[in-house]
Amino acid sequence: MSEGTDIPAEWTRQPAQPGQPGAAPVPPQGGFGPPPASYGSSVPQQPTASAPLGATPYPTQAQAPAAFGGGAQGGAPDGDRPDWEALADRNEAVHRRRTRMKIVVWSLAGALVLGGVVATAMVLSGSKKSGKTVAGPTASPSAPASGSAAPSPAASGSGGPGGDPSKPLWEATTDTAPLSATGLFPAQTVTVNGATWTRTIDTVTDPCWDATTGGLGSVLGDQTCRQVIRVTYVSGDSAVTLGVAVFDHQIQAENSLKNYKGHILGLSAPGAPQFCNAVGCASTHGTLGRYGYLTVEGSAKQGGIAQDAAATAAAPGFDDYIKGQLLQRAKAESSATR
């Protein structure tokens, strides 16, 4: 350099000793650095940058904070680096457990709902409608008087081990035995409610409406009623007429009595007082197979008194009597086809 040129003091500063911060300062741009340490070296030495006295040196790449990297490059130990693969495995295991729990919960809920539906279906299937409509107090036939035919037990309509016992009576094609009043009601006397009732007259009426009053004839006729078989039993001053309306199929019998009104006409023996020839008497009705069974109860006294307490009380017992006779017919039909 030329004489008289001032050399900056930093240029004459001694290099930093080991353990001291900073290094020799870098000359300004365009200046010359200090001479190489050895002129005989084949590789020129780069000038070492130095920070001003008291300044904190800039971190080198090897001193990068551990947060920006890990392992050999980041300078942080491998143990501080998150194991992302293990975390992913744990999250997947938790998700699988939750999914299994949901499946178990929904399966249990579905089983409970299905159990409730099955229980409800069993209750509904176990309940059956009775085909009997009874007016007046309940009564059942008692033992018959000596020499008279016993009324058959009431039919439950639920069938037994062999199924519904009335099945042969469901339609005319399987119920082919002859029909008559004496065939259905052969007993001359029956005992109901402790009283003996004696048969006085029977008849078969065709068309059906001739044996009815109060609009019942049109109800029966709408379902093609074939005939009405009637028989009257009397006990003292009380009278009960039993009737059986005959159809071709049980559906017709059931439909005919859904809109039941009026009642069958009371049937009196020749010379006996007439009873229940108009609406006003107590009556009952029901169906079994292709038959509709009906009763009307009144007073057999002269003067046409419609209501009679003893006859009304005996009506349910006579209902059971009719059903028992029809079931005997079904049993005979079933035996004949074997």
Side-chain angles (χ1 to χ4, degrees):
M1 299 181 69
S2 62
E3 296 181 0
T5 303
D6 296 329
I7 297 175
E10 291 83 353
W11 286 32
T12 63
R13 186 178 302 164
Q14 294 298 322
Q17 297 300 321
Q20 294 181 353
V26 180
Q29 185 174 3
F32 295 94
S38 173
Y39 288 100
S41 175
S42 61
V43 180
Q45 298 295 322
Q46 296 295 329
T48 303
S50 63
L53 292 176
T56 302
Y58 293 101
T60 63
Q61 183 176 2
Q63 296 172 335
F68 292 94
Q73 293 181 354
D78 290 341
D80 294 338
R81 183 178 182 180
D83 190 344
W84 299 110
E85 184 176 354
L87 290 175
D89 291 341
R90 284 198 296 271
N91 289 336
E92 184 177 356
V94 171
H95 177 71
R96 286 197 297 268
R97 285 196 299 270
R98 290 178 178 175
T99 301
R100 287 195 295 269
M101 286 299 294
K102 289 180 180 179
I103 293 174
V104 170
V105 170
W106 281 110
S107 298
L108 292 175
L112 291 175
V113 172
L114 179 60
V117 171
V118 172
T120 303
M122 291 176 66
V123 171
L124 292 177
S125 64
S127 60
K128 296 183 178 181
K129 291 184 178 180
S130 173
K132 172 183 175 182
T133 302
V134 178
T138 302
S140 59
S142 57
S146 176
S148 62
S152 300
S156 63
S158 60
D164 190 340
S166 69
K167 187 173 182 179
L169 305 182
W170 287 2
E171 53 186 310
T173 56
T174 58
D175 179 25
T176 58
L179 271 171
S180 65
T182 55
L184 281 178
F185 307 109
Q188 185 63 37
T189 62
V190 294
T191 302
V192 179
N193 285 355
T196 299
W197 297 75
T198 303
R199 191 181 69 195
T200 59
I201 189 173
D202 58 75
T203 187
V204 176
T205 303
D206 178 17
C208 297
W209 52 79
D210 283 349
T212 66
T213 186
L216 180 59
S218 62
V219 173
L220 301 181
D222 288 344
Q223 297 298 322
T224 320
C225 175
R226 298 300 183 184
Q227 58 188 11
V228 175
I229 300 171
R230 286 180 294 165
V231 60
T232 296
Y233 286 89
V234 174
S235 177
D237 293 329
S238 303
V240 178
T241 294
L242 318 182
V244 174
V246 182
F247 300 88
D248 290 334
H249 198 279
Q250 68 170 351
I251 295 177
Q252 294 172 312
E254 292 170 357
N255 289 339
S256 69
L257 298 184
K258 284 181 180 178
N259 299 315
Y260 179 85
K261 58 182 177 179
H263 53 71
I264 59 173
L265 290 172
L267 181 65
S268 300
Q274 300 293 311
F275 74 101
C276 297
N277 285 332
V279 176
C281 288
S283 64
T284 65
H285 63 279
T287 64
L288 184 68
R290 68 187 184 108
Y291 300 103
Y293 57 87
L294 313 99
T295 70
V296 62
E297 303 84 44
S299 174
K301 286 184 178 180
Q302 189 72 35
I305 301 173
Q307 299 295 332
D308 184 273
T312 300
F318 277 111
D319 277 342
D320 290 343
Y321 175 52
I322 300 173
K323 290 167 65 177
Q325 295 304 113
L326 290 173
L327 285 175
Q328 285 187 8
R329 176 180 176 86
K331 184 178 180 180
E333 292 280 8
S334 180
S335 299
T337 58
R338 291 178 183 175

